[in-house]
Amino acid sequence: MTSFNCFIRNENIYFVEVLVLVWRGKLLPTPSMEDYIEQIYLLTEKKGFARVADIAENLSVHPSSVTKMVQKLDKDNYLTYEKYRGFSLTSKGKKVGQRLVYRHELLEQFLRVIGVKEEIIYEDVEGIEHHLSWESIDRIVDLVQYFEEDEKRIEELRKIQLKNEEHQQ
């Protein structure tokens, strides 16, 4: 679903299309919001807290961008933010953070199972994770489970991959 925001600059009127993600009647975080929530969740789990500087470093963005997003996440009830005091994820933010980390780890696991080289897995996951529905994620869970329940299935997949590589050369 899309909506339009209107703003005026230098006496010109601009309409900006805004993507609004809705699933089961609930507004979903945007991919950018997901990145921040995921980082905040990971930092909080690892260190017990998340700082603007740490988030900025991990996401390769300016601290001012982090502050703006933190304020937006506070407004949308993903976290509680107090200026100069810090912030913490709400129960809603923690739930979303857990789900995002789970999705990320699952996609890494899936790419390993299908034989993707380790050095490109992280970048590939970052490229696809925001573009899959949760229904697709559920089917990937099934596929990973299918392969991991029987090592022979993975061995058969590797044989097919070797055969295909030979034909490409």
Side-chain angles (χ1 to χ4, degrees):
M1 172 167 85
T2 58
S3 65
F4 291 89
N5 283 354
C6 173
F7 66 94
I8 299 173
R9 182 181 291 156
N10 299 331
E11 299 179 9
N12 293 313
I13 299 175
Y14 297 90
F15 290 93
V16 179
E17 188 175 13
V18 179
L19 177 64
V20 180
L21 301 170
V22 178
W23 185 68
R24 292 185 179 173
K26 296 180 182 177
L27 286 177
L28 297 176
T30 65
S32 179
M33 290 167 72
E34 286 184 347
D35 286 338
Y36 281 87
I37 293 168
E38 184 178 3
Q39 279 303 313
I40 293 166
Y41 180 83
L42 288 169
L43 285 165
T44 303
E45 288 294 301
K46 181 179 178 181
K47 298 165 67 170
F49 60 91
R51 297 180 325 177
V52 167
D54 295 330
I55 298 165
E57 182 180 331
N58 290 355
L59 294 176
S60 302
V61 297
H62 288 23
S64 61
S65 297
V66 175
T67 301
K68 287 178 189 173
M69 181 58 80
V70 164
Q71 291 168 344
K72 177 166 181 32
L73 293 171
D74 178 43
K75 181 179 158 232
D76 292 347
N77 298 314
Y78 290 104
L79 57 80
T80 305
Y81 172 67
E82 293 180 44
K83 197 171 185 177
Y84 307 117
R85 300 202 72 206
F87 50 89
S88 59
L89 289 172
T90 61
S91 60
K92 174 183 173 182
K94 287 178 186 171
K95 183 177 178 182
V96 171
Q98 280 179 317
R99 195 171 68 171
L100 296 173
V101 169
Y102 168 76
R103 177 182 71 188
H104 189 100
E105 291 172 350
L106 170 70
L107 291 172
E108 285 184 351
Q109 182 181 9
F110 171 67
L111 294 178
R112 279 187 193 95
V113 166
I114 63 171
V116 174
K117 293 177 185 163
E118 194 65 37
E119 58 269 14
I120 61 174
I121 287 177
Y122 181 82
E123 210 170 300
D124 282 356
V125 169
E126 287 297 313
I128 63 173
E129 67 183 338
H130 301 296
H131 303 285
L132 294 172
S133 69
W134 287 99
E135 182 178 345
S136 295
I137 295 295
D138 289 343
R139 297 300 67 84
I140 291 171
V141 169
D142 298 339
L143 191 57
V144 168
Q145 182 179 350
Y146 172 79
F147 277 107
E148 290 185 340
E149 282 179 353
D150 186 348
E151 274 296 313
K152 290 180 183 176
R153 295 172 182 156
I154 293 177
E155 291 170 14
E156 290 171 11
L157 176 62
R158 297 292 179 261
K159 287 178 187 175
I160 291 169
Q161 291 169 334
L162 281 172
K163 184 178 169 185
N164 288 339
E165 286 175 13
E166 289 172 3
H167 287 288
Q168 291 175 355
Q169 295 175 2

